Amino acid sequence: EAGVAQSPRYKIIEKRQSVAFWCNPISGHATLYWYQQILGQGPKLLIQFQNNGVVDDSQLPKDRFSAERLKGVDSTLKIQPAKLEDSAVYLCASRPLRQGLNTIYFGEGSWLTVV
Amino acid sequence: QKEVEQNSGPLSVPEGAIASLNCTYSDRGSQSFFWYRQYSGKSPELIMFIYSNGDKEDGRFTAQLNKASQYVSLLIRDSQPSDSATYLCAGQVDSSYKLIFGSGTRLLVRP
């Protein structure tokens, strides 16, 4: 079974530029998460989708971050304009909708450096 | 703010010893708890989860949950240098399957 795919793996941009990250979850997984992990901290949930609907985006900085999950499969996370403090790893994760199955699976992450 | 708290460490133990990692949480409604291991530069990988009070064992790992004390722990027996990593505790705070992570505890196993 293929894992969660993310791209690009690494990105360096200047502040005030824009960047987009793409995620393809495991086939059939209805729930998709985007987490931000700053160096030395735990992952912070930015947004959670169930199919193509948003379940939680309470910690998404909506003035600069946006995310979408068209057709309930792939997802894109965009940052515009980027700030220095956005330097982090952006982790995409997915889980199946079946009740009782608690595992979420992480992708390898997209590493962002804002200079 | 629903929080999961962990001591950042590092926790240093000799090879072969038992490593004890702890986590507390603030939301009494939290249902399940997860322990993830994260090597430097890698994404988190699930070690085990627990949702009932008591102990759950899987190989060298034992998770313990005490809902009355809002306390979760992970014991690693016969620690190996390859266990050196950051261990993340996460709580599932409601039926939406949202996971809230702690900041992680760095474990160093000395050969």
Side-chain angles (χ1 to χ4, degrees):
Chain A
E1 179 179 66
V4 177
Q6 291 189 244
S7 68
R9 291 292 318 280
Y10 305 94
K11 192 77 175 178
I12 300 175
I13 62 172
E14 295 182 349
K15 58 184 179 183
R16 292 187 289 275
Q17 286 187 324
S18 63
V19 63
F21 300 115
W22 172 83
C23 173
N24 182 239
I26 293 172
S27 178
H29 282 198
T31 306
L32 184 147
Y33 310 80
W34 282 103
Y35 283 87
Q36 178 194 58
Q37 187 174 23
I38 294 172
L39 189 64
Q41 299 182 17
K44 182 181 86 171
L45 180 66
L46 293 176
I47 189 166
Q48 178 183 343
F49 293 95
Q50 186 141 306
N51 296 309
N52 60 348
V54 175
V55 174
D56 189 303
D57 63 357
S58 57
Q59 294 204 80
L60 186 73
K62 297 180 184 65
D63 58 334
R64 298 183 301 104
F65 286 66
S66 64
E68 61 182 8
R69 191 183 184 197
L70 300 176
K71 301 180 182 177
V73 182
D74 295 6
S75 178
T76 302
L77 176 70
K78 296 180 181 177
I79 308 173
Q80 181 180 12
K83 292 186 175 181
L84 296 176
E85 58 261 36
D86 298 332
S87 294
V89 181
Y90 291 86
L91 295 163
C92 180
S94 69
R95 74 177 296 283
L97 193 55
R98 294 189 295 276
Q99 246 186 346
L101 190 62
N102 290 307
T103 303
I104 74 169
Y105 299 84
F106 282 91
E108 290 297 313
S110 292
W111 296 70
L112 174 66
T113 301
V114 182
V115 297
Chain B
Q1 177 73 18
K2 298 168 182 173
E3 292 186 349
V4 175
E5 301 283 348
Q6 295 181 258
N7 187 316
S8 61
L11 171 67
S12 181
V13 301
E15 184 174 356
I18 296 175
S20 177
L21 303 159
N22 305 314
C23 169
T24 59
Y25 60 96
S26 61
D27 183 5
R28 286 194 173 274
S30 297
Q31 299 165 342
S32 305
F33 298 88
F34 302 77
W35 284 100
Y36 283 82
R37 177 175 61 199
Q38 187 173 30
Y39 291 112
S40 181
K42 299 294 185 182
S43 60
E45 54 179 330
L46 181 69
I47 298 174
M48 59 192 307
F49 63 87
I50 185 169
Y51 50 83
S52 299
N53 268 330
D55 296 359
K56 179 182 178 182
E57 187 173 318
D58 184 0
R60 295 188 296 114
F61 300 95
T62 299
Q64 300 174 317
L65 173 59
N66 184 325
K67 292 188 177 182
S69 300
Q70 296 178 243
Y71 179 88
V72 192
S73 66
L74 179 71
L75 301 178
I76 306 174
R77 289 181 298 282
D78 188 25
S79 295
Q80 302 297 309
S82 58
D83 294 326
S84 297
T86 296
Y87 289 79
L88 297 164
C89 173
Q92 179 179 296
V93 296
D94 56 33
S95 59
S96 69
Y97 302 111
K98 179 171 67 175
L99 283 190
I100 302 298
F101 283 85
S103 57
T105 298
R106 193 157 63 97
L107 172 66
L108 298 175
V109 181
R110 309 186 304 272

